[in-house]
Amino acid sequence: MNKVSTILPLENWTGYRFGLIASRLGSFIAPMYEERYELTMPAWRSLAVIARHQPLTAAQLATLTSSDASKVARAIDLLVRRGLIHRDLDKADRRRASLRLSAEGRKVYKDIEKFVVRVERKLMAALDPHEVEVLRRSLDKLDHQLETEIKAKGREKFL
């Protein structure tokens, strides 16, 4: 097999590495909530974000999950049908709804959270406490850089 010589090898691309780790981790965790609660990944992410930030609107949920409106709408519909969240219409603006966990949603969230936290702890055990702190600060910096210096200026700048 002939390798292409590049200035920055694929395995050093930040997005590629993040994507691989996220995919591998998601593939390990997803079967738990799929088999136990018949939830999709977008539904689980939505449930977790609602648990953390409730009450919030669908638009806020889309922003916090970095998901498009159609994925969020499908996740919300699934969570409402399953009785895991409440969608209460805003009396002042009936086009808006407030999303919050139901009692059953809190139980499901807590069960999945226990599993995810155990996996997270095992994953992060590969790093010492200083490395964990550096990783978290670095991720914050990269996220900020992406939002303020890269996305804000547009992809045309890089073409």
Side-chain angles (χ1 to χ4, degrees), residues 85-134:
I85 65 170
H86 296 292
R87 178 174 37 196
D88 300 317
L89 290 178
D90 185 332
K91 290 172 181 42
D93 182 353
R94 298 196 52 81
R95 294 169 298 175
R96 290 174 40 127
S98 177
L99 305 170
R100 58 187 173 78
L101 294 185
S102 66
E104 182 64 19
R106 276 190 295 282
K107 286 190 330 194
V108 168
Y109 172 75
K110 287 292 186 187
D111 184 48
I112 298 170
E113 179 188 48
K114 286 179 198 171
F115 173 75
V116 173
V117 167
R118 285 193 297 270
V119 172
E120 176 78 6
R121 285 186 180 139
K122 185 65 175 175
L123 177 66
M124 298 309 280
L127 305 175
D128 67 44
H130 175 71
E131 289 172 321
V132 170
E133 182 56 34
V134 169

Side-chain angles (χ1 to χ4, degrees), residues 131-148:
E131 289 172 321
V132 170
E133 182 56 34
V134 169
L135 174 62
R136 292 203 169 118
R137 278 197 324 263
S138 297
L139 291 172
D140 288 344
K141 286 180 176 181
L142 291 173
D143 193 26
H144 179 76
Q145 181 75 357
L146 178 60
E147 292 300 317
T148 62

Side-chain angles (χ1 to χ4, degrees), residues 67-87:
S67 297
D68 63 68
S70 63
K71 272 188 186 173
V72 169
R74 285 192 301 275
I76 290 169
D77 287 344
L78 173 64
L79 295 170
V80 168
R81 272 195 325 271
R82 300 284 312 285
L84 301 178
I85 65 170
H86 296 292
R87 178 174 37 196

